[in-house]
Amino acid sequence: MGGAVSAGEDNDELIDNLKEAQYIRTELVEQAFRAIDRADYYLEEFKDNAYKDLAWKHGNIHLSAPCIYSEVMEALDLQPGLSFLNLGSGTGYLSSMVGLILGPFGVNHGVELHSDVIEYAKQKLDFFIKTSDSFDKFEFCEPSFVTGNCLEISPDCTQYDRVYCGAGVQKEHEDYMKNLLKVGGILVMPLEEKLTKITRTGPSAWETKKILAVSFAPLIQPNHADSGKSRLVHLPPVAVRSLQDLARIAIRGTIKKIIHQETMSKNGNGLKNPPRFKRRRVRRRRMETIVFLDKEVFASRISNPSDDNNNSEEIEDERREEEETKPSELKPDPPVNFLREKVLSLPLPDPLKYYLLYYREK
């Protein structure tokens, strides 16, 4: 499934193509997609395909096509502080992007059938937190994953603001999925070969919208052959953040505001350089006269003595302009992590600095 947009050379180019094709339509979704490199969720030997608009599967590891994920993210209408449940959470790629939008006071849970995929997702999550500069640009709602069949969620589980199912849902399981939602919540899932958005407008009232045709593998039905009993899936409890953790969030937020204010004052309300207006050059074209004589054609050129001189000046001007506008072939310097620099410059004990930085390696 996929192939709706051209392949990109890197993650940013992939996002540019998704925007151009109108799969990504809002700034929040764009920021989340740019913050997490899709290639980081591929096995090393398959990374050449990471920026193609195609699904990828290797064993139990699976990623949907970027155009599908972008439609899902847009349809979920995510906001900070909401609760999210990802059924078939897989590599954690989608859950991590969602976590960037939910912020520190959201809830981000995932259910995955295969324990090896859960382990893979935890490794990728740890890599993102420890190494990605994008982590410091957001306040992150870290996903929590549990192993189990998403059709066996305990009936006493809490309901969620947003739910996504990453496998084809049979019609007989539609009501089961709807009951996972709070009133006002949104459920996105493949239902009868259509990516479908269902909004719960009341205790027993729903609005349904078909988004696009899709082809997903169906949900795996529970197998009770071994014990004859259902293995209930218990979702993680909604934990209350510690006072220490709340202090870290507040301090990081304050530092980010200071950095933003300093940047604004340095750049004059964010405008670094006034736009350059180029003088529009009128190009002189040489006039040609074509003379017909019997069946032969003779072409002659009419020009001023100064034309040759003017032309060489124009060529020189064009060459100079190209040199000015030509991007430097040197590799640009990596972006500066101002939050990290500011924290490390504070007159604080090192353990506290590292705590504020989440003990990140970068």
Side-chain angles (χ1 to χ4, degrees):
M1 185 68 207
V5 302
S6 302
E9 291 293 322
D10 56 25
N11 197 65
D12 279 327
E13 193 171 315
L14 171 64
I15 309 314
D16 291 341
N17 294 338
L18 290 168
K19 278 187 68 181
E20 187 177 349
Q22 288 293 300
Y23 285 102
I24 293 177
R25 300 178 289 278
T26 59
E27 187 177 351
L28 270 178
V29 172
E30 179 186 349
Q31 288 174 350
F33 267 86
R34 290 196 190 279
I36 297 183
D37 195 320
R38 180 175 166 87
D40 289 342
Y41 288 78
Y42 273 67
L43 293 170
E44 194 66 38
E45 60 267 34
F46 299 103
K47 285 190 175 183
D48 288 346
N49 295 318
Y51 307 122
K52 296 176 181 176
D53 189 28
L54 297 171
W56 172 66
K57 192 174 191 307
H58 182 78
N60 292 325
I61 302 169
H62 175 263
L63 280 167
S64 292
C67 68
I68 300 297
Y69 281 135
S70 51
E71 283 288 3
V72 169
M73 291 278 285
E74 293 286 358
L76 286 170
D77 189 21
L78 297 159
Q79 303 295 331
L82 296 180
S83 56
F84 172 66
L85 176 61
N86 189 355
L87 303 174
S89 51
T91 65
Y93 172 63
L94 177 66
S95 291
S96 292
M97 287 195 293
V98 169
L100 296 174
I101 298 176
L102 296 183
F105 304 112
V107 174
N108 194 355
H109 293 164
V111 179
E112 169 56 44
L113 183 62
H114 304 287
S115 58
D116 60 324
V117 179
I118 291 271
E119 189 57 37
Y120 185 84
K122 288 179 178 178
Q123 291 172 8
K124 296 302 178 184
L125 175 62
D126 189 55
F127 178 80
F128 170 69
I129 291 173
K130 285 185 175 178
T131 66
S132 174
D133 276 331
S134 295
F135 179 84
D136 284 330
K137 296 175 184 175
F138 298 82
E139 290 300 336
F140 188 47
C141 183
E142 187 173 332
S144 297
F145 305 112
V146 295
T147 307
N149 190 306
C150 64
L151 292 174
E152 296 183 299
I153 292 174
S154 175
D156 61 355
C157 81
T158 184
Q159 293 177 317
Y160 291 80
D161 296 302
R162 301 290 186 267
V163 178
Y164 170 65
C165 182
V169 177
Q170 293 86 352
K171 190 67 178 174
E172 60 264 30
H173 297 306
E174 181 180 354
D175 288 342
Y176 170 89
M177 295 292 177
K178 287 178 176 179
N179 287 329
L180 297 170
L181 273 186
K182 293 179 181 178
V183 173
I186 295 172
L187 163 66
V188 178
M189 61 181 177
L191 181 66
E192 297 181 318
E193 301 297 309
K194 296 284 193 302
L195 190 64
T196 305
K197 175 181 178 178
I198 298 176
T199 306
R200 188 169 193 170
T201 57
S204 55
W206 317 85
E207 284 182 1
T208 301
K209 178 184 177 183
K210 305 292 184 182
I211 301 173
L212 77 164
V214 292
S215 178
F216 276 66
L219 280 172
I220 295 175
Q221 302 301 305
N223 182 5
H224 305 146
D226 295 338
S227 62
K229 292 181 181 180
S230 173
R231 300 185 185 89
L232 287 181
V233 176
H234 296 280
L235 295 170
V238 178
V240 177
R241 286 190 177 271
S242 68
L243 185 59
Q244 188 179 26
D245 202 17
L246 291 172
R248 174 165 61 182
I249 293 165
I251 293 168
R252 284 168 63 92
T254 301
I255 293 172
K256 285 179 182 178
K257 285 179 184 175
I258 292 170
I259 292 169
H260 178 69
Q261 289 166 359
E262 289 176 351
T263 304
M264 293 287 282
S265 62
K266 274 184 190 175
N267 297 335
N269 293 327
L271 189 62
K272 280 190 176 178
N273 297 308
R276 287 180 60 195
F277 294 96
K278 291 184 182 177
R279 178 176 59 84
R280 187 179 176 185
R281 183 188 295 116
V282 179
R283 296 178 182 238
R284 296 186 183 89
R285 294 185 178 179
R286 291 182 171 183
M287 187 178 296
E288 289 187 348
T289 301
I290 299 177
V291 180
F292 292 87
L293 183 60
D294 291 334
K295 293 181 180 179
E296 295 183 15
V297 180
F298 296 89
S300 65
R301 192 181 299 261
I302 300 174
S303 61
N304 294 319
S306 60
D307 276 352
D308 290 337
N309 193 34
N310 287 337
N311 191 52
S312 63
E313 287 178 6
E314 287 178 14
I315 291 171
E316 181 61 26
D317 286 345
E318 287 177 7
R319 186 189 64 76
R320 196 179 300 113
E321 186 176 301
E322 283 176 3
E323 285 179 356
E324 288 175 2
T325 58
K326 191 162 102 175
S328 172
E329 292 181 3
L330 296 173
K331 197 172 182 181
D333 293 331
V336 178
N337 188 328
F338 293 105
L339 177 67
R340 183 179 183 84
E341 286 194 347
K342 185 70 79 173
V343 169
L344 292 176
S345 70
L346 294 174
L348 297 171
D350 285 346
L352 183 52
K353 291 180 185 178
Y354 299 144
Y355 178 75
L356 288 173
L357 294 171
Y358 287 84
Y359 305 99
R360 286 163 46 70
E361 294 173 359
K362 227 174 173 185

